Amino acid sequence: MTTDACKLTIAQAQHLLRSRELSATELTRACLDRISAVEPRLNAFITICHEQALAQARDAERRLAQGDAPALCGIPLAIKDIYATRGVRTTCASKILENFVPPYDATVIARLRAEGAVFLGKANLDEFAMGSSTENSAFGPTRNPCDLQRVAGGSSGGSAAAVAADECLGALGTDTGGSIREPAAFCGVVGIKPTYSRVSRFGIIAYASSLDQVGPFAKTVRDAAILLRSLAGADPADSTCSTRPVPDYERALNGEVKGLRIGVPKEYFVEGMQPEVEGAVRAALRHYESMGATTVEVSLPHTDYAIAAYYLIATAEASANLERYDGIRYGLRVEADNLTDLYRRSRGRGFGAEVKRRIMLGTFALSTGYYDAYYLKAQKVRTLIKRDFDQAFARCDLIVTPTAPTTAFRLGEKMSDPLQMYLSDIFTISVNLAGLPGMALPCGYDRQGMPIGLQLIGPAFGEETVLRAGDAYERSGAVTRRPTVV
Amino acid sequence: MSAHEEKYEAVIGLEVHAQLLTASKIFCGCSAQFGAPPNTHVCPVCSGMPGVLPVFNRKALELAIRLGLAAHCRIAPRSIFERKNYFYPDLPKGYQISQYQTPLCAGGYIELPGENGDAARVRLVRIHLEEDAGKNIHAPDCSLIDFNRSGVPLVEIVSEPDIRTPQQAGAYLRELRSMVRYLDVSDGNMEEGSFRCDANVSVRPRGAAALGVKTEVKNMNSFRHVEHAIAYEIERQIELLEAGERIMQETRLWDPDRGVTRSMRSKEYAHDYRYFPEPDLPPLIVTPDLVEQIRTEMPELPAARRARYTAELGLTPYEADVLTQERELSDYFEALLPGLDNRKTAANWVMTEVLRAVNESGRPLAEAVPAPAEVGALLKMVEDAAISLNAAKAAFAAMCKSGKGAQATVAELGLLQVSDEAAITAACEQVIAAEADKVAEYRAGRDKLFGFFVGQVMKAMGGKANPKIINEVLRRKLAAN
């Protein structure tokens, strides 16, 4: 039992911890053992918190013994290394923050800590969440647990791989243009990006503030619902965070999709996408129909402009968000004779190539003489994309698409061609621009055995609909999860 | 008017930064208090740590609206914060959260007190909210940064180029400072940096419509500096034009020691700030109800007080101006008034005795002079002829030192006047009897001797007799033959 405990779902572990059939320490130790066994091949973690995790597990054990422990008490999780964790170094996979230890917790970290969750370590990512493969990490790429020659997706590749490889029971990621959903699809796990403002961003190292959103990775939709309930909710430290009450997402999972109107956007079945991906998604749609849902074709006419708009808005915000890494107060400083050189050298050596590319792009988009043509135009496109979704949701309850046009690609395959890399997010980026909830969940495998991800998109604050539909599909047994190779 | 002044006209616009009187900073809970040991009022938010977010201090909004209403601005029902991007060690985030395209307050004007009551208006472009930066401190072998000031709330008040002379610039600043102090919006302290001014200065031939090339003058830490710097800059620009040279658009620093402005290196100010909307803060929504609520809570402003002092209290525009410049002094003056009939005496008293005591002691008003109720009681005694004006001055000086009340001081110093007519009559009779020769001369027509008799009676009564009664009795007695 104990050695396999890392393979449990959160729902199963909750039951076993409460029935005292399993102790929090045994569970955490099982995960740490698994981490030791597979990390040399996967590199899903930047920092492993062995001692702290066991101490947290012991605390959780005491609380569980007293009864009435919160939902995530004793549940071992991986945390994307973009969340500020008090006393634990938080690198954002960048050299510039290689030794940064925050004196504060992100709001969601503080919440999970209060619930007694166990933090196994800080998961790998693309530097500052900029990337779609976790190859842009100063700490080396994360490998896909289904095929070690392939990428885990990104930017939350470490979190996705850790869940897929059973190094943890669940994980936290962030999603700015697909950074939860794409790696979830590539690794064959569940990942949900909630509505923008549903979860506090305080303490999440900012990439693109108007797009960044926190969300969980899990082995099942139910686990994702359990995690999301603990993450979501108002935060006085984040003025963009919604004060809407948080529903009990798990209770929404009634297995029912009868009468559900599923919109299928014609723009999302594009030329050049991997045929097996399209096949699997179409099969999933038929499966929904067989369960009593109806499908209707909808149109999201401005989809073609989404990537361009995203790479102007996100990089513009990033260019400002990353100005604080100047070598003055914390992080990497490369000494110089004068201030300008200190900035140049510290930032020049501290940031990786993709981060520099995006800072330059964003700086350009905001510059005098270009602002209207780029940043402002992109914001207008964003409004049109939002309107597309509003109109589509007048005709359906849920939109179903592929998560990514292909399954996980090979390491290095797209590193020399940033534009090809950016296209990995073609189906996920619009959802961020519109601020909507989107979830990726496995819907099959390609011929190489790589997982294919289905994407469910809901209207704003429609997380319950998304989770209910995902859970119903998962429970119907349409897809059987295959073991990983690690 | 010099030949230059006849030929050229200066065009001046001022940008003032005033620190708002909030307890905490604009985007975090740290204290906004001045003067704490370096880096003791800092937190992850105002020191720009990764992942932190700003939360707007609503108190700053109220204060800025209060100033906007006082300056007759339009209050924007919806305005947004923007990021102003530039690298400097005292700016921890690498951007300043400010307002750009949609300021909280737009338009409006400041009315300047004219010497003869002919008020001039300086129109405003805008008043917007922003955060302050920290402070670099340069030591010989290193530079240090104090982030206590980082995130302190400011309003920036931008005037139209309506100002024509250095004196007018000074008058504008004095009026604005007086306003922010009346409103409790800012303490207006220039030395501590809570009230700072930059000037945009250009000159053009009189009668020309087009504006000349302007320079921006910085580093002026007092009203006097502002006036001197602007005067210098006007003269410098005119001399350049007269010599057939061009004026460079640039930022210049006032050097108070040498009394000149010097060019800053162009590298330091050639910025493209790349403003864009701050995604971490929702728009500032100001409801009509909030504006009305703030309007009803507005104190009376210096301009309104000046008008009231001249119309209702019968003071001159000059007196009204002196009395209203500082709210504390004006409040003190008004606290004297209840129970007094002669407002003019009270006004003169405040402008001479009170201001002198404050200046001589070098302490704030509240510490330098007795409470207004005590001084009011003293003036009431003068009005009731219980003491003489000179006696009141002596008593006031003693009260400033001792802190004792008016009654006690007057009694202690034995300053009470004798108004007992019988006693005064007796003294008059004695003097008349003793000075028979002079009485005869007086009665023969030497009217000037009247003062001599008054003096003799006063002397006989130890200087404390009521002069009015002495006059009455003496006239009667000397006339009665």
Side-chain angles (χ1 to χ4, degrees):
Chain A
M1 177 77 232
T2 22
T3 44
D4 277 351
C6 61
K7 295 190 172 141
L8 293 169
T9 66
I10 292 172
Q12 290 165 341
Q14 280 179 330
H15 175 73
L16 293 173
L17 289 170
R18 275 163 186 70
S19 65
R20 314 291 293 276
E21 290 166 68
L22 177 70
S23 81
T25 304
E26 286 166 344
L27 180 57
T28 295
R29 217 179 272 288
C31 289
L32 289 169
D33 288 348
R34 176 76 178 155
I35 287 170
S36 303
V38 301
E39 266 310 285
R41 282 171 290 163
L42 280 187
N43 195 34
F45 284 88
I46 291 174
T47 303
I48 297 160
C49 305
H50 206 271
E51 297 310 316
Q52 288 108 313
L54 286 170
Q56 281 178 314
R58 282 192 294 274
D59 284 346
E61 225 167 277
R62 270 193 292 278
R63 289 175 71 176
L64 284 158
Q66 285 158 14
D68 201 29
L72 296 178
C73 194
I75 302 297
L77 303 173
I79 312 296
K80 188 180 184 179
D81 203 15
I82 198 168
Y83 289 73
T85 42
R86 196 180 57 232
V88 174
R89 88 171 167 153
T90 299
T91 69
C92 231
S94 181
K95 257 188 152 49
I96 212 157
L97 289 177
E98 193 169 359
N99 296 308
F100 176 67
V101 179
Y104 50 95
D105 270 336
T107 296
V108 292
I109 293 297
R111 274 188 197 157
L112 296 188
R113 215 187 270 288
E115 283 206 23
V118 174
F119 304 142
L120 295 166
K122 306 298 292 287
N124 201 6
L125 66 151
D126 284 299
E127 184 180 4
F128 284 102
M130 297 179 186
S132 310
S133 67
T134 312
E135 289 167 290
N136 298 327
S137 167
F139 300 86
T142 294
R143 289 164 188 272
N144 193 313
C146 303
D147 178 349
L148 295 174
Q149 298 314 309
R150 291 177 188 266
V151 301
S155 66
S156 314
S159 301
V163 173
D166 293 320
E167 292 178 287
C168 55
L169 271 63
L172 300 192
T174 60
D175 189 318
T176 307
S179 283
I180 288 175
R181 290 158 291 159
E182 188 242 28
F186 280 11
C187 295
V189 296
V190 175
I192 181 165
K193 177 205 97 74
T195 308
Y196 183 79
S197 81
R198 181 68 286 183
V199 183
S200 165
R201 290 184 295 118
F202 182 86
I204 313 304
I205 297 182
Y207 158 26
S209 314
S210 75
L211 299 160
D212 294 344
Q213 189 55 199
V214 160
F217 286 92
K219 295 170 190 177
T220 65
V221 174
R222 178 170 299 272
D223 283 5
I226 293 168
L227 286 168
L228 182 57
R229 191 185 179 199
S230 294
L231 298 174
D235 176 13
D238 177 358
S239 4
T240 65
C241 190
S242 173
T243 53
R244 258 174 187 258
V246 179
D248 182 346
Y249 295 117
E250 203 184 350
R251 273 180 61 184
L253 310 182
N254 60 8
E256 195 55 70
V257 292
K258 199 160 282 173
L260 186 77
R261 297 172 303 161
I262 295 176
V264 184
K266 57 181 181 197
E267 293 84 0
Y268 278 58
F269 292 87
V270 293
E271 224 172 288
M273 73 190 278
Q274 197 177 320
E276 294 146 298
V277 171
E278 177 167 359
V281 173
R282 297 244 184 244
L285 286 167
R286 284 194 298 277
H287 192 83
Y288 271 117
E289 283 172 339
S290 76
M291 290 164 67
T294 57
T295 58
V296 54
E297 186 180 87
V298 294
S299 176
L300 301 168
H302 295 93
T303 300
D304 276 356
Y305 306 103
I307 287 203
Y310 171 87
Y311 276 98
L312 291 167
I313 294 168
T315 59
E317 292 177 5
S319 72
N321 283 332
L322 271 62
E323 278 160 353
R324 67 191 61 201
Y325 310 110
D326 57 5
I328 302 286
R329 286 146 297 129
Y330 52 79
L332 180 74
R333 174 193 289 192
V334 184
E335 295 292 346
D337 293 339
N338 61 67
L339 183 61
T340 311
D341 284 347
L342 184 142
Y343 286 149
R344 283 188 181 142
R345 289 186 198 169
S346 302
R347 291 168 64 83
R349 220 167 291 173
F351 291 136
E354 183 60 25
V355 172
K356 287 177 190 163
R357 180 165 23 244
R358 294 196 193 190
I359 289 174
M360 284 190 283
L361 191 55
T363 302
F364 185 78
L366 289 174
S367 295
T368 306
Y370 298 97
Y371 181 90
D372 289 3
Y374 294 110
Y375 181 78
L376 203 61
K377 179 73 74 62
Q379 289 290 9
K380 288 176 183 169
V381 170
R382 184 174 188 177
T383 304
L384 294 174
I385 286 171
K386 262 186 206 155
R387 197 175 303 161
D388 283 356
F389 277 104
D390 287 345
Q391 283 163 0
F393 279 118
R395 301 181 56 220
C396 63
D397 309 308
L398 184 75
I399 289 174
V400 174
T401 74
T403 301
T406 66
T407 55
F409 43 87
R410 293 183 176 280
L411 283 157
E413 191 179 323
K414 299 189 178 179
M415 280 303 274
S416 56
D417 189 348
L419 281 179
Q420 272 306 309
M421 186 74 94
Y422 296 171
L423 287 174
S424 313
D425 297 326
I426 191 166
F427 300 142
T428 47
I429 260 175
S430 295
V431 179
N432 296 81
L433 290 169
L436 304 177
M439 182 167 75
L441 72 160
C443 69
Y445 292 84
D446 71 5
R447 276 196 304 270
Q448 275 78 38
M450 296 310 292
I452 298 168
L454 190 67
Q455 178 177 226
L456 311 185
I457 305 165
F461 298 101
E463 281 83 1
E464 287 168 286
T465 307
V466 169
L467 289 162
R468 184 186 300 127
D471 170 68
Y473 177 81
E474 189 181 77
R475 273 205 261 166
S476 74
V479 180
T480 313
R481 202 177 151 206
R482 298 185 194 171
T484 60
V485 298
V486 290
Chain B
M1 198 180 263
S2 74
H4 278 170
E5 281 169 20
E6 272 169 35
K7 196 167 162 191
Y8 292 98
E9 167 184 68
V11 177
I12 303 156
L14 297 179
E15 290 171 15
V16 173
H17 286 92
Q19 179 181 331
L20 296 173
L21 277 174
T22 56
S24 56
K25 293 185 178 181
I26 188 167
F27 297 124
C28 64
C30 290
S31 165
Q33 193 88 47
F34 176 84
N39 295 313
T40 52
H41 292 170
V42 292
C43 72
V45 174
C46 59
S47 60
M49 293 280 202
V52 299
L53 297 171
V55 176
F56 180 57
N57 179 350
R58 297 285 295 183
K59 180 71 182 166
L61 178 69
E62 281 179 40
L63 295 180
I65 292 174
R66 209 185 283 173
L67 179 60
L69 289 175
H72 316 279
C73 301
R74 296 185 301 278
I75 311 298
R78 181 184 187 279
S79 64
I80 61 165
F81 284 108
E82 303 204 35
R83 292 183 182 177
K84 178 182 181 177
N85 300 283
Y86 64 94
F87 282 98
Y88 207 59
D90 67 7
L91 189 70
K93 298 187 298 298
Y95 57 83
Q96 178 193 30
I97 303 178
S98 181
Q99 294 194 293
Y100 184 57
Q101 290 193 32
T102 57
L104 178 65
C105 313
Y109 58 87
I110 305 281
E111 198 126 26
L112 306 190
E115 279 182 24
N116 310 310
D118 52 339
R121 273 187 187 180
V122 175
R123 291 169 303 149
L124 299 185
V125 179
R126 59 193 284 153
I127 301 175
H128 71 246
L129 281 161
E130 61 185 30
E131 59 177 337
D132 208 344
K135 200 175 154 195
N136 285 354
I137 300 154
H138 299 288
D141 55 344
C142 67
S143 287
L144 305 164
I145 314 169
D146 178 4
F147 288 108
N148 282 352
R149 215 177 63 184
S150 169
V152 158
L154 301 176
V155 277
E156 181 173 339
I157 305 135
V158 183
S159 88
E160 293 280 2
D162 283 355
I163 298 166
R164 293 290 172 269
T165 66
Q167 294 72 33
Q168 230 179 13
Y172 168 84
L173 288 177
R174 270 182 274 272
E175 183 64 13
L176 188 56
R177 178 171 178 274
S178 170
M179 279 173 66
V180 297
R181 287 169 60 88
Y182 266 71
L183 293 165
D184 281 327
V185 159
S186 171
D187 65 17
N189 191 326
M190 282 189 102
E191 279 160 21
E192 291 177 4
S194 55
F195 194 80
R196 311 196 283 269
C197 172
D198 301 333
N200 289 303
V201 181
S202 66
V203 297
R204 65 182 169 191
R206 268 186 201 282
L211 292 169
V213 176
K214 69 174 180 188
T215 58
E216 187 181 7
V217 187
K218 290 179 177 285
N219 195 40
M220 303 168 292
N221 301 325
S222 72
F223 293 138
R224 207 166 44 84
H225 284 177
V226 173
E227 293 186 23
H228 287 174
I230 292 174
Y232 174 86
E233 189 57 21
I234 292 170
E235 204 50 41
R236 188 188 70 86
Q237 292 187 13
I238 291 173
E239 277 169 20
L240 280 175
L241 293 179
E242 285 290 297
E245 289 180 45
R246 289 225 322 259
I247 292 159
M248 295 262 293
Q249 182 164 347
E250 60 181 352
T251 300
R252 299 181 68 85
L253 288 184
W254 170 245
D255 179 342
D257 297 331
R258 292 168 51 213
V260 299
T261 64
R262 325 181 250 102
S263 180
M264 266 172 79
R265 280 180 300 129
S266 62
K267 231 167 97 180
E268 287 178 30
Y269 67 91
H271 285 303
D272 178 353
Y273 290 120
R274 307 191 314 278
Y275 282 97
F276 75 102
E278 166 57 273
D280 289 334
L281 289 166
L284 277 180
I285 304 298
V286 178
T287 62
D289 284 353
L290 177 64
V291 174
E292 281 322 301
Q293 189 203 321
I294 293 170
R295 203 192 295 278
T296 56
E297 292 163 0
M298 295 269 281
E300 189 182 30
L301 285 164
R305 278 203 183 176
R306 283 195 299 271
R308 186 160 57 82
Y309 287 6
T310 50
E312 288 176 21
L313 304 182
L315 305 185
T316 65
Y318 171 76
E319 289 168 337
D321 188 24
V322 172
L323 286 173
T324 54
Q325 266 179 20
E326 291 287 349
R327 180 178 172 181
E328 213 184 356
L329 188 72
S330 179
D331 285 348
Y332 188 89
F333 166 62
E334 298 204 5
L336 285 184
L337 294 180
L340 294 182
D341 291 328
N342 196 336
R343 275 75 197 275
K344 201 90 176 171
T345 310
N348 282 332
W349 189 272
V350 171
M351 288 169 62
T352 54
E353 303 308 317
V354 171
L355 281 183
R356 181 189 302 133
V358 171
N359 289 339
E360 284 175 0
S361 72
R363 285 182 300 167
L365 180 74
E367 293 171 25
V369 294
E374 290 305 322
V375 177
L378 196 62
L379 293 180
K380 180 70 182 158
M381 288 185 228
V382 175
E383 220 164 62
D384 292 346
I387 57 170
S388 69
L389 196 61
N390 281 334
K393 287 179 184 173
F396 179 77
M399 285 158 71
C400 287
K401 287 203 180 71
S402 68
K404 287 182 186 164
Q407 294 288 356
T409 306
V410 166
E412 204 169 278
L413 299 179
L415 297 172
L416 273 182
Q417 287 190 140
V418 178
S419 295
D420 176 352
E421 199 167 326
I424 292 173
T425 305
C428 287
E429 282 167 352
Q430 271 175 26
V431 169
I432 287 170
E435 305 283 350
D437 297 353
K438 295 253 166 51
V439 171
E441 278 178 51
Y442 176 82
R443 286 179 175 155
R446 262 192 85 187
D447 292 351
K448 282 180 182 166
L449 279 171
F450 189 76
F452 165 77
F453 297 119
V454 174
Q456 290 303 109
V457 174
M458 196 58 104
K459 198 171 156 191
M461 298 199 64
K464 290 177 204 164
N466 185 331
K468 228 166 121 189
I469 299 175
I470 298 178
N471 281 353
E472 278 169 24
V473 172
L474 269 179
R475 267 186 219 290
R476 211 164 54 228
K477 292 277 172 196
L478 288 169
N481 199 348

